[in-house]
């Protein structure tokens, strides 16, 4: 296929408009996703402490299972965006269908593993004898929705690659509303308890998957893209996702180590760490929205053969990341008197929380650069480098974190170690962005 000549260079204002148009809806969709568990927690919490504790164990397992496969969204976004930039929509949609089929087959595999092992996994996580039956019930039923959840991830990647972040926002809002309504009806109206909450979530997730598939299939038919599973295409999607899987597992290992260290510091530090981690995750949603815009924009530029446009977009998004990090850091500092009382009235936790929270605030500009460059390199399909860089980061963070209890450090020291982790990530990503080796133009990398 003959590529069209590169478009004229975009102005800073045009870059800003494009970033905002993609990032704002992406942020809304990202924030809507955790509301599923929040709604379930609010509804199940009124059934009793054992039920809520069971939900906590099951939700942690489900969240981990799904987050491991987030590469389905990231890899699909990059591949589809490249083909969109190359002006080959049929191939873009064919690539998207391969990602969706991969998600479906992976989901079936996870269900096949989860159903017979649910009791053992719940017990291994240390659920109490009163909470364990509720955890097992919720986990087994909710696992039936995992294929739909993974299809949603892949289909979200397809739409992002097509430069469409509005549809995922609308579907996420509708899914949250349906989930909350179904939970109330099935838990209290039908008297199904924890099982009702799980079934409500499964139904809502299947509805979201159906909505995404309707949009993607309509586009595929319009452009003559095959809907059948293609073994070679599915295999290629899996291969592209492996490096991002390694990256994600390494990042999850960092968070797991940090939580384990906090637990060893005592109940006060562990409680304060959980509060800070919740805030840190919320801040990450805002910064990740820019990264998602980066995945879609960079992939499109490179697919169109516009290397200079990709460089210019990268520079502008890094500026956005720094500015967003500064603003978020200042908001954390300013909102401390309002934020902390929402989570604890314990004076000891309050005192432990304050200095560590300042470290989080100071690290936000670093986080802004990290998230943006992460998104840029994902959009470029530079997964192997991202995997290696995250393994290096894990290797740097682990000894620093493990030394904290031995040296008598507390929660503030742990979050300085987390800041070190982000600084190492920033260094590795910045070196790659400066090298220009990520800039590989064409419909495929």
């Amino acid at each position: 296929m003959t590529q069209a000549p590169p478009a004229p260079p975009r102005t800073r204002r045009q870059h800003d408009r494009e970033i905002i148009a993609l990032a704002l809806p992406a942020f809304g969709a990202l924030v809507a996703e955790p509301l599923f568990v929040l709604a379930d927690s609010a509804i199940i919490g009124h059934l009793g402490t054992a039920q809520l504790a069971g939900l906590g164990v099951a939700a942690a397992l489900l969240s981990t299972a799904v987050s491991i496969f987030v590469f389905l969204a990231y890899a699909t976004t990059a591949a589809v965006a490249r083909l969109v930039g190359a002006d080959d929509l049929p191939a873009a949609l064919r690539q998207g269908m391969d990602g969706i089929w991969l998600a479906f087959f992976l989901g079936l595999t996870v269900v096949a593993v989860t159903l017979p092992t649910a009791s053992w996994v719940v017990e291994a996580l240390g659920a109490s004898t009163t909470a364990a039956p509720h955890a097992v019930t919720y986990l087994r039923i909710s696992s039936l929705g995992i294929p739909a959840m993974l299809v949603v991830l892949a289909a979200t990647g397809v739409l992002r690659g097509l430069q469409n972040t509005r549809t995922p926002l609308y579907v996420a809002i509708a899914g949250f509303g349906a989930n909350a309504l179904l939970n109330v009806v099935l838990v209290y109206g039908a008297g199904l308890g924890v099982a009702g909450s799980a079934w409500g979530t499964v139904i809502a997730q299947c509805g979201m998957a159906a909505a995404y598939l309707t949009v993607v299939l309509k586009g595929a038919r319009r452009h003559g893209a095959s809907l059948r599973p293609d073994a070679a295409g599915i295999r290629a999607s899996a291969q592209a996702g492996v490096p991002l899987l390694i990256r994600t597992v390494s990042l999850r290992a960092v968070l797991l180590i940090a939580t384990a260290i906090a637990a060893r510091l005592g109940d006060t530090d562990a409680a304060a760490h959980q509060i800070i981690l919740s805030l840190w995750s919320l801040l990450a949603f805002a910064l990740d929205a820019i990264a998602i815009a980066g995945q879609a924009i960079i992939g499109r530029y490179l697919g169109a053969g516009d290397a200079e446009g990709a460089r210019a977009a990268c520079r502008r998004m890094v500026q956005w990341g720094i500015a967003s990090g500064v603003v978020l850091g200042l908001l954390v500092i300013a909102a401390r008197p309002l934020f902390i009382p929402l989570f604890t009235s314990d004076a000891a936790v309050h005192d432990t929380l304050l200095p560590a929270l300042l470290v989080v605030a100071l690290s936000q500009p670093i986080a802004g650069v990290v998230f943006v460059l992460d998104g840029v390199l994902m959009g470029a399909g530079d997964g192997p480098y991202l995997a290696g860089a995250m393994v290096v980061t894990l290797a740097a963070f682990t000894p620093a974190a493990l030394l904290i209890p031995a040296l008598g450090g507390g929660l503030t020291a742990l979050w300085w170690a987390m800041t070190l982790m982000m600084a190492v990530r920033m260094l590795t990503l910045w070196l790659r962005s400066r090298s220009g080796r990520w800039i590989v133009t064409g419909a495929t990398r």
Side-chain angles (χ1 to χ4, degrees):
M1 178 178 291
T2 303
Q3 284 189 344
R10 296 198 171 201
T11 65
R12 176 178 290 189
R13 180 172 294 182
Q14 287 173 321
H15 279 305
D16 290 346
R17 286 175 180 169
E18 188 170 38
I19 293 167
I20 292 171
L22 291 171
L24 282 181
F27 174 68
L30 287 168
V31 171
E33 289 171 10
L35 293 178
F36 271 86
V37 175
L38 186 63
D40 288 0
S41 299
I43 293 168
I44 290 179
H46 292 286
L47 295 176
T49 301
Q51 288 88 337
L52 185 58
L55 170 66
V57 172
L61 290 167
L62 290 166
S63 175
T64 299
V66 174
S67 66
I68 286 174
F69 296 110
V70 74
F71 71 84
L72 291 166
Y74 294 159
T76 305
T77 297
V80 171
R82 271 186 178 269
L83 290 164
V84 168
D87 198 25
D88 192 351
L89 280 177
L93 288 161
R94 173 66 263 174
Q95 181 76 53
M97 287 304 305
D98 290 337
I100 289 172
W101 278 113
L102 174 63
F104 179 68
F105 291 136
L106 286 174
L108 292 181
T109 302
V110 174
V111 173
V113 172
T114 302
L115 288 177
T117 62
S119 296
W120 178 83
V121 173
V122 166
E123 183 180 351
L125 278 185
S128 68
T129 54
T130 54
H134 302 296
V136 172
T137 297
Y138 191 92
L139 181 59
R140 281 182 172 154
I141 296 173
S142 291
S143 70
L144 300 177
I146 287 178
M149 294 167 74
L150 299 191
V151 165
V152 165
L153 281 178
T156 300
V158 176
L159 295 181
R160 289 172 181 170
L162 295 171
Q163 317 296 296
N164 177 0
T165 56
R166 290 183 178 273
T167 298
L169 171 62
Y170 300 148
V171 174
I173 292 173
F176 167 68
N179 178 62
L181 179 62
L182 286 166
N183 268 256
V184 171
V185 171
L186 295 176
V187 171
Y188 297 116
L192 296 179
V194 169
S197 178
W199 279 117
T201 300
V202 169
I203 294 169
Q205 288 162 347
C206 290
M208 290 174 68
Y212 274 116
L213 287 174
T214 299
V215 175
V216 174
L217 294 179
K218 184 177 179 181
R221 290 194 183 99
R222 184 188 309 124
H223 293 282
S226 174
L227 305 181
R228 295 181 179 179
D230 176 67
I234 293 172
R235 192 161 50 247
S237 294
Q239 289 171 348
V242 168
L244 296 180
L245 174 63
I246 295 171
R247 167 204 168 272
T248 301
V249 170
S250 299
L251 180 57
R252 296 292 299 187
V254 165
L255 300 178
L256 184 62
I257 290 169
T259 300
I261 295 298
R264 284 166 173 76
L265 296 176
D267 289 348
T268 298
D269 290 80
H273 175 75
Q274 182 57 37
I275 294 171
I276 293 178
L277 196 59
S278 299
L279 174 63
W280 193 75
S281 299
L282 178 62
L283 297 172
F285 286 135
L287 298 173
D288 204 28
I290 304 174
I292 287 170
Q295 293 171 32
I297 293 169
I298 295 298
R300 194 191 72 234
Y301 273 122
L302 294 178
D306 189 355
E308 186 50 45
R311 287 191 186 92
C314 176
R315 287 193 297 268
R316 189 56 183 156
M317 281 184 283
V318 168
Q319 292 169 358
W320 268 84
I322 295 171
S324 299
V326 170
V327 170
L328 291 174
L330 292 174
L331 284 175
V332 169
I333 293 171
R336 282 180 305 157
L338 300 174
F339 173 78
I340 295 176
L342 292 176
F343 289 88
T344 182
S345 58
D346 188 318
V349 174
H350 185 279
D351 292 341
T352 302
L353 192 60
L354 279 173
L357 203 55
L358 287 173
V359 175
V360 172
L362 291 172
S363 69
Q364 287 310 296
I366 297 174
V369 176
V370 168
F371 276 84
V372 166
L373 290 180
D374 207 39
V376 166
L377 297 184
M378 282 184 190
D382 205 12
Y385 182 84
L386 288 171
M390 197 62 227
V391 170
V392 168
T393 301
L394 174 61
F397 169 77
T398 302
L402 294 177
L403 281 172
I404 290 170
L407 297 177
L411 187 66
T412 302
L414 176 59
W415 277 93
W416 275 119
M418 289 288 285
T419 302
L420 170 67
M421 178 271 294
M422 294 300 287
V424 172
R425 288 188 72 189
M426 183 177 71
L427 177 62
T428 57
L429 297 175
W430 178 79
L431 288 173
R432 186 63 167 182
S433 69
R434 290 283 293 176
S435 74
R437 294 178 183 174
W438 56 277
I439 299 176
V440 179
T441 58
T444 58
R445 184 177 173 87

